[in-house]
Amino acid sequence: ITRESSATGVPENLIRAILFREQIFYSVVDATDQSRVRIGLSASASVGLAQIFPETAYWTERVIVNGATATELQKEYEAKIMGSQMRKVLLQKLENNEENIHYAALILAAEAKKLEIDLSTATEWQLQQVLAAYNGSGQEAQRYGVETFEYYNAYRRYYQSQ
């Protein structure tokens, strides 16, 4: 978490909040294998500690790391990703805890960039918006942002007291 925070500029406690929020919704029927969790077996399942869709990981990495545009990505995605070996590779990467945390930090950084929010000076409301964007859009995502911000605050208070 510390390494990814340093690399992306995403506060450690924001990453911790996402990981915790995603983990508390596992049930006894979720598959686990040596701390690697993958819910569901369908092609549309999210994967790992931060519950990331392979498509989201791909798009985020290409935009943040390579500076690709949405049009370029759409063409590339349609040509390469659906049902491809690349998707299988992404699934394997996301099942690795360190890789999953890496992508979670990248996604948070990408959402902050898209919303033009500087995470180092972000307000409570702005952090909630970044957390909501991590989850998607609409009312459920907004609720997710507010709830997950509470976990962020809990981690922040805890680590400040240490």
Side-chain angles (χ1 to χ4, degrees), residues 13 153-162:
N13 292 327
N153 269 335
Y155 280 112
R156 189 176 49 77
R157 286 189 304 270
Y158 174 78
Y159 284 100
Q160 283 177 344
S161 71
Q162 298 300 306

Side-chain angles (χ1 to χ4, degrees), residues 138-156:
Q139 285 185 330
E140 287 300 315
Q142 289 301 312
R143 187 174 8 259
Y144 177 97
V146 170
E147 290 173 4
T148 307
F149 183 77
E150 294 304 318
Y151 301 124
Y152 164 79
N153 269 335
Y155 280 112
R156 189 176 49 77

Side-chain angles (χ1 to χ4, degrees), residues 104-152:
L106 278 182
I107 293 165
L108 288 165
E111 295 299 348
K113 182 178 180 180
K114 186 168 42 174
L115 295 168
E116 298 180 355
I117 294 172
D118 179 351
L119 291 173
S120 67
T121 60
T123 65
E124 177 178 322
W125 183 83
Q126 289 174 319
L127 290 174
Q128 289 175 3
Q129 296 310 299
V130 171
L131 291 165
Y134 180 92
N135 188 252
S137 61
Q139 285 185 330
E140 287 300 315
Q142 289 301 312
R143 187 174 8 259
Y144 177 97
V146 170
E147 290 173 4
T148 307
F149 183 77
E150 294 304 318
Y151 301 124
Y152 164 79

Side-chain angles (χ1 to χ4, degrees), residues 90-119:
L90 276 171
L91 281 169
Q92 289 174 338
K93 283 176 115 179
L94 290 171
E95 288 174 343
N96 174 288
N97 291 339
E98 287 186 15
E99 289 284 342
N100 199 273
I101 293 168
H102 166 74
Y103 281 103
L106 278 182
I107 293 165
L108 288 165
E111 295 299 348
K113 182 178 180 180
K114 186 168 42 174
L115 295 168
E116 298 180 355
I117 294 172
D118 179 351
L119 291 173

